[in-house]
Amino acid sequence: MTMPPSPPETLRSALVAAAGTLGGGGIRVALARMRHGSCLGDAADELAGKSVLIAVASQLEAALVLIELDGLCRRLVLLPPDVKEAQLAPIIRDAEADAIVCSDPGAFAASGLTSVYVPNLDIVPLAGKARISLRTEWLMLTSGTTGDPKIAVHTLAGLTGAIASRTLSTSPPVWATFYDIRRYGGLQIFLRAVFGGGSLVLSRPGEPVADHLARLAAENVSHVSGTPTHWRKALMSAAIAQFHPAYIRLSGEIADQAILDSLRLNFPDAAIGHAYASTEAGVGFDVNDGLEGFPESYLAEPRNGVELRMADGALHIRSNRMASHYAGRPDLELTDADGWVDTGDMVELRNGRCYFAGRRGGIINVGGLKVHPEEVETVINRHGAVRQSRVKPRKSPVIGAIVVADVVLCETAANSDLIKQDILALCRSTLAPHKVPALINLVTAIEMTPGGKVSRQNA
């Protein structure tokens, strides 16, 4: 029996058998060139042993810098492109950052950090130069929308715990993701491409959905991931008809039955799965049976080194893929005394299956009764004329709040008044009375966060 390979100690050492490429912005870089090459040249020596912010302009630059600096630096801090200027000082403080790699030499002059500029994407030989090898910590910003972001501390072994033991495929996949790789979901796909010997086609900021899908089709992308919101927007585009991936992966939000069925209808020959992961808890599990939720059996015993449990209605996770702590925040506990992460995702057990109800912090209070917006959205999305929905509260002087739904209809939907009546009838037949929307607004689009989720901040 052949034993799976041990996880590489650094990202660069994962490139021993790399045959794929990274592509974005019209530029393509062979991963094999980074085995003994550098995108920073001699400037990389200035970063040895430091805690380094990665604040480059493009995903391709970020990918190459990660390969370059993992094992050389004490810490790598990935900054998503939408980090606010006011958040930079607390990030520098909590991450104990003392250097920054950026695309603009003047942009961070006031930060007080050692600054290394990425002038271009040329890969130069390392010329046999000896490199130190540290156990680099990977720091990921959580996706909170208010206040200063928390910073979860990971290791490469933990980040690749779900993928490192897989052997290289004889036909390496061509990956793509709607995520930015500077977020946890996108980083996972970047690591899957590198560790699987495949290629990765990167998304472009502000690229229209139709153009993006056409580019993925032209690049022969075989494996692609995104949030359910990403996929709902993709399914609204006529360009989806030209795209034929072999594997579709959903994560980041609740994958309800409506989106899974829509993807199966549009991609009858593709393998379709949804995964549970979070920045703090790491990758928890995959579900590949075509159904929403996950089997109750997942709670019974560890699966691939991951333990799950339900406590007070919430999903808790314990594994070696989790972050170890929050950087610079000794006042915050990432796990309980027994090492469990409380995900804050509420789960209901019905007929041998666990279903996600919504986030603990997103509950709408209707006269003292609780409503999870996601639970109502799951019902609304079952209607054949609905492409997407967002449920939100509206203040009520009598009962505190009422439930309101924004709904995007399919392009072929007709007689909107009748459809609204049908949606309400569906909700009344399925939900408790206090969960039924008091008002349905038909809208052309629903705002999404930079991470590809339904925006609920101003809902």
Side-chain angles (χ1 to χ4, degrees):
M1 175 175 159
T2 302
M3 296 298 292
S6 299
E9 293 188 355
T10 66
L11 195 53
R12 189 188 295 273
S13 63
L15 301 177
V16 171
T21 62
L22 295 174
I27 302 173
R28 186 178 295 278
V29 176
L31 283 167
R33 293 183 62 195
M34 286 299 295
R35 287 200 303 246
H36 305 290
S38 168
C39 61
L40 298 175
D42 293 338
D45 296 338
E46 301 178 42
L47 304 175
K50 296 185 183 298
S51 177
V52 180
L53 298 183
I54 299 177
V56 292
S58 73
Q59 294 188 71
L60 184 54
E61 288 173 318
L64 296 179
V65 170
L66 286 172
I67 295 171
E68 171 102 8
L69 298 184
D70 180 43
L72 181 69
C73 299
R74 179 171 69 92
R75 281 179 163 176
L76 296 176
V77 189
L78 271 170
L79 294 186
D82 60 309
V83 168
K84 299 178 177 61
E85 186 176 351
Q87 295 174 326
L88 190 60
I91 290 172
I92 291 172
R93 177 199 66 217
D94 291 347
E96 300 176 356
D98 41 27
I100 188 166
V101 178
C102 57
S103 306
D104 181 350
F108 300 93
S111 67
L113 303 176
T114 298
S115 182
V116 170
Y117 171 48
V118 182
N120 53 54
L121 293 173
D122 289 338
I123 308 301
V124 298
L126 281 172
K129 188 182 296 185
R131 301 288 294 267
I132 66 172
S133 184
L134 301 176
R135 292 285 186 177
T136 301
E137 293 180 329
W138 290 53
L139 275 58
M140 303 289 299
L141 273 61
T142 60
S143 58
T145 55
T146 59
D148 296 332
K150 298 190 290 292
I151 307 173
V153 180
H154 285 273
T155 64
L156 182 63
L159 288 169
T160 58
I163 55 178
S165 64
R166 299 185 181 184
T167 56
L168 294 175
S169 170
T170 55
S171 179
V174 179
W175 276 98
T177 177
F178 294 106
Y179 287 109
D180 190 297
I181 67 166
R182 289 162 287 191
R183 304 182 192 283
Y184 187 87
L187 180 66
Q188 279 292 310
I189 301 308
F190 166 62
L191 294 173
R192 283 174 182 268
V194 170
F195 277 72
S199 298
L200 176 61
V201 178
L202 298 164
S203 58
R204 296 173 182 169
E207 185 176 22
V209 172
D211 293 351
H212 189 193
L213 292 171
R215 188 162 58 87
L216 299 189
E219 297 273 5
N220 295 314
V221 165
S222 60
H223 291 52
V224 60
S225 80
T227 66
T229 296
H230 282 136
W231 282 109
R232 287 188 173 99
K233 290 188 176 296
L235 289 171
M236 289 186 229
S237 172
I240 198 74
Q242 307 305 315
F243 184 37
H244 305 288
Y247 175 66
I248 290 171
R249 181 180 177 91
L250 300 90
S251 62
E253 294 177 299
I254 297 172
D256 62 31
Q257 198 62 49
I259 186 61
L260 294 172
D261 289 347
S262 292
L263 289 169
R264 170 58 58 218
L265 181 64
N266 281 268
F267 303 104
D269 299 323
I272 300 172
H274 54 103
Y276 182 90
S278 74
T279 305
E280 287 98 331
V283 177
F285 55 86
D286 296 333
V287 182
N288 300 299
D289 59 8
L291 301 176
E292 61 184 335
F294 60 94
E296 183 184 7
S297 60
Y298 283 21
L299 301 172
E301 58 185 28
R303 301 179 71 257
N304 303 317
V306 179
E307 297 175 87
L308 306 177
R309 73 176 185 187
M310 287 174 58
D312 298 323
L315 180 67
H316 291 222
I317 294 181
R318 182 168 65 182
S319 78
N320 59 6
R321 304 173 189 173
M322 303 185 311
S324 58
H325 61 284
Y326 291 117
R329 295 297 304 271
D331 56 312
L332 295 177
E333 294 291 341
L334 192 143
T335 68
D336 66 13
D338 296 320
W340 291 91
V341 170
D342 179 355
T343 67
D345 288 312
M346 309 306 290
V347 179
E348 297 177 352
L349 179 59
R350 300 192 300 272
N351 301 319
R353 199 165 182 92
C354 301
Y355 297 91
F356 289 100
R359 294 286 298 168
R360 182 190 291 120
I363 291 173
I364 301 172
N365 190 322
V366 180
L369 299 173
K370 297 178 180 179
V371 180
H372 289 288
E374 296 90 342
E375 179 185 7
V376 183
E377 290 164 4
T378 296
V379 174
I380 294 173
N381 291 342
R382 292 175 193 162
H383 193 286
V386 172
R387 179 59 72 196
Q388 186 178 17
S389 65
R390 176 179 62 181
V391 169
K392 58 188 181 182
R394 176 174 293 182
K395 289 183 180 179
S396 166
V398 179
I399 58 175
I402 59 173
V403 177
V404 175
D406 293 335
V407 175
V408 179
L409 298 181
C410 299
E411 298 81 357
T412 57
N415 199 335
S416 58
D417 288 338
L418 183 58
I419 291 174
K420 289 167 69 171
Q421 294 176 27
D422 285 347
I423 292 171
L424 286 173
L426 177 61
C427 289
R428 292 187 185 111
S429 68
T430 309
L431 299 167
H434 68 280
K435 299 179 181 181
V436 176
L439 180 66
I440 292 179
N441 300 314
L442 298 183
V443 298
T444 57
I446 291 174
E447 183 184 0
M448 62 191 293
T449 69
K453 303 178 183 181
V454 170
S455 178
R456 302 186 188 276
Q457 186 176 8
N458 299 312

